[in-house]
Amino acid sequence: MNSILEQLKQRRIALGFKQQDMQVLVGVSRQQYQRLESKGNPRLDTLELIALGLNSELMLIPREKLRDVQALLTGERLTEREHSELVDNPWKGLLDEE
């Protein structure tokens, strides 16, 4: 899985934005945004602001659910068993409970 900064960059590019567009979208100068993408350590509120500008959401995904989320995002088909388990109980295993 790509780092959050790489994901932001990929999302920005997918939307057709340049780094200088981020100033208009979220009020971050091109230089600040360039630094953030290359080696930044942004604060959480900065990440949330950038995600909002990129019409995205930040979220924590439990590792055991990551494959399911990735499959949904890429349109990959889950096996019938995986799909059934997800539909029957989407919360199963989230809190280390059975």
Side-chain angles (χ1 to χ4, degrees):
M1 183 89 186
N2 293 333
S3 75
I4 188 99
L5 298 178
E6 183 61 31
Q7 290 176 59
L8 289 174
K9 180 179 180 178
Q10 289 174 356
R11 177 69 175 160
R12 175 183 58 76
I13 291 169
L15 292 173
F17 296 131
K18 294 181 173 31
Q19 288 179 334
Q20 60 258 25
D21 297 327
M22 298 309 288
Q23 184 161 5
V24 173
L25 289 170
V26 296
V28 175
S29 74
R30 184 194 58 78
Q31 293 89 353
Q32 289 172 310
Y33 190 80
Q34 182 181 31
R35 196 169 338 143
L36 182 141
E37 272 189 6
S38 67
K39 59 181 176 192
N41 187 13
R43 296 180 353 191
L44 180 57
D45 60 340
T46 302
L47 283 174
E48 289 173 332
L49 182 65
I50 291 170
L52 182 64
L54 295 174
N55 197 26
S56 299
E57 291 288 331
L58 294 178
M59 64 176 21
L60 293 175
I61 301 169
R63 288 184 192 262
E64 62 274 7
K65 297 293 182 182
L66 184 58
R67 187 195 174 301
D68 297 334
V69 172
Q70 288 173 329
L72 289 170
L73 291 174
T74 61
E76 179 185 330
R77 294 216 178 255
L78 298 174
T79 66
E80 193 166 321
R81 186 181 130 270
E82 291 170 325
H83 178 73
S84 163
E85 288 175 358
L86 192 58
V87 169
D88 290 344
N89 186 1
W91 307 109
K92 181 179 178 185
L94 284 179
L95 300 174
D96 292 332
E97 300 169 354
E98 287 301 318

